[in-house]
Amino acid sequence: MRIVGFSVIPHAVPLSRPYVIAGRSIDAVEIFYLEVLTDRPGLTGLGAASPAPAVTGESAEACVAALRSGLDFLRGADPRRFAALQTEAAVRLASTPAALAACDMALWDLAGKILEVPAVDLLGTRQEALPTSITVGIKSTEAMKAEAMEYLEQGFRALKIKIGTDFAADAQRLAALRLHLGEDIRIRVDANQGYAVTEPDLAEGLLQLVRRFDIELVEQPVPRGAGETEVLRSMGSELLRGLAADESLHTAKDALRIAQNRTYGILNIKLMKCGGITGGRAIATVAEHSGRRLMWGCMDESVISIAAALHVAYASPATRFLDLDGSFDLSSDLAAGGFSLKSDVLHLLDRPGLGVTWAHQA
């Protein structure tokens, strides 16, 4: 059995619901689909990359170039040696994590198909299915309440609210939202590095926000880098347990640094930051051994990469939170399958590999 080639398919996708986060607005995404071909008819591996230049520095141009010119080592290789091939890919595509993620998940997809089992069963003991949160961007209070109610009507019971532009205004919107939603809906907030490390009384303000409005977790309140560790250490154990590292967490080395510094209590793994299932699995191991809880997040992504995240999430004992809503607002997706959504719970499909296929074949 041999890999005989691969194809890369770019796809520019407008979002059906554009949104605003601290620092930028998002109305479209570029997805690069990867299909790894073998000499066995019908046996292929699928992957997908959604580069995030604002987070990783990887441009769309760099991502597609890496996929087109950096995968020649796969030709002629035995896909059953997928671990060795993943290691080689990690070296060759180290500067383009989304491209690496696409290659890595395509190899996991192939491995599961060859062995005729879902990828989750190659990764570990399958955990219970979990609900995902769904994101509400920064907007007026009334628009936020209307969008939140729309999601509740669809069955979602956990909302991730984007904040980070102005602390006082954010607190007012959250107060109105909590009053409007009642006490049973879980609220998570994501500041996307929006608050400066010099923000006056930030620690006390965040703690009061969490207590007053029953906030489940707070993602990345301050920027990665200078002053981050110092301001986080001033926040106290109660608050730190519910803080989630996002932009500050790319690789397992970052996870080790966070554990050693005793800053964030939650690690938000995104395959487009860490290079795919294999990179996510490495971070998950650090979380398990350092007492950190795992949240699995995403960019705006195809069902291929959302399914890949779900497989490794459900194989990781430290997984507690899902924020895998990245395919919901795509106006089109060239792939289908991977998981089913029942109310707000994401269920893997009982299919080999990642359980995905091309949309025209579904």
Side-chain angles (χ1 to χ4, degrees), residues 270-311:
K270 294 179 179 176
L271 300 195
M272 298 304 142
K273 294 186 301 180
C274 67
I277 290 173
T278 303
R281 193 184 192 189
I283 296 172
T285 300
V286 175
E288 184 179 353
H289 292 288
S290 65
R292 263 107 196 115
R293 296 175 292 169
L294 287 180
M295 178 180 185
W296 296 81
C298 58
M299 312 303 181
D300 297 298
E301 302 178 21
S302 167
V303 294
I304 297 175
S305 45
I306 298 297
L310 199 58
H311 278 269

Side-chain angles (χ1 to χ4, degrees), residues 69-311:
S69 64
L71 300 183
D72 284 340
F73 74 96
L74 292 176
R75 298 182 193 275
D78 186 338
R80 291 169 294 190
R81 298 181 61 251
F82 69 96
L85 295 175
Q86 288 158 346
T87 300
E88 180 74 9
V91 173
R92 292 175 178 265
L93 304 176
S95 63
T96 50
L100 173 58
C103 179
D104 181 82
M105 67 184 72
L107 292 171
W108 279 105
D109 188 34
L110 263 179
K113 289 173 178 175
I114 290 168
L115 294 173
E116 299 182 343
V117 296
V120 65
D121 294 331
L122 301 177
L123 289 159
T125 301
R126 192 182 305 207
Q127 308 298 312
E128 183 179 354
L130 294 172
T132 182
S133 54
I134 192 163
T135 302
V136 178
I138 296 173
K139 55 187 64 182
S140 71
T141 300
E142 290 307 310
M144 184 178 292
K145 290 194 298 187
E147 185 173 338
M149 292 307 295
E150 181 182 335
Y151 291 140
L152 297 191
E153 289 171 1
Q154 294 173 18
F156 293 96
R157 289 297 178 267
L159 302 176
K160 188 170 86 167
I161 309 301
K162 293 290 187 177
I163 60 174
T165 53
D166 177 87
F167 194 89
D170 290 338
Q172 290 178 351
R173 282 193 290 268
L174 287 171
L177 192 59
R178 174 54 81 193
L179 181 64
H180 187 67
L181 297 177
E183 299 178 356
D184 295 335
I185 302 303
R186 284 175 290 158
I187 295 179
R188 306 166 182 176
V189 297
D190 183 4
N192 288 112
Q193 309 182 86
Y195 303 130
V197 294
T198 55
E199 179 92 20
D201 302 316
L202 179 60
E204 181 61 24
L206 284 174
L207 183 59
Q208 292 307 312
L209 208 70
V210 169
R211 287 175 172 174
R212 287 177 59 201
F213 309 129
D214 190 21
I215 303 300
E216 187 174 31
L217 60 84
V218 178
E219 267 190 82
Q220 196 73 40
V222 296
R224 170 185 175 125
E228 177 188 12
T229 298
E230 290 73 20
V231 72
L232 291 175
R233 280 179 169 172
S234 73
M235 292 186 175
S237 58
E238 179 186 349
L239 184 55
L240 288 180
R241 176 171 169 75
L243 291 190
D246 182 359
E247 288 88 348
S248 290
L249 173 68
H250 291 228
T251 67
K253 287 184 179 179
D254 290 329
L256 284 169
R257 170 180 51 79
I258 288 167
Q260 290 166 352
N261 289 338
R262 298 181 180 180
T263 49
Y264 297 98
I266 302 168
L267 304 181
N268 184 350
I269 300 177
K270 294 179 179 176
L271 300 195
M272 298 304 142
K273 294 186 301 180
C274 67
I277 290 173
T278 303
R281 193 184 192 189
I283 296 172
T285 300
V286 175
E288 184 179 353
H289 292 288
S290 65
R292 263 107 196 115
R293 296 175 292 169
L294 287 180
M295 178 180 185
W296 296 81
C298 58
M299 312 303 181
D300 297 298
E301 302 178 21
S302 167
V303 294
I304 297 175
S305 45
I306 298 297
L310 199 58
H311 278 269

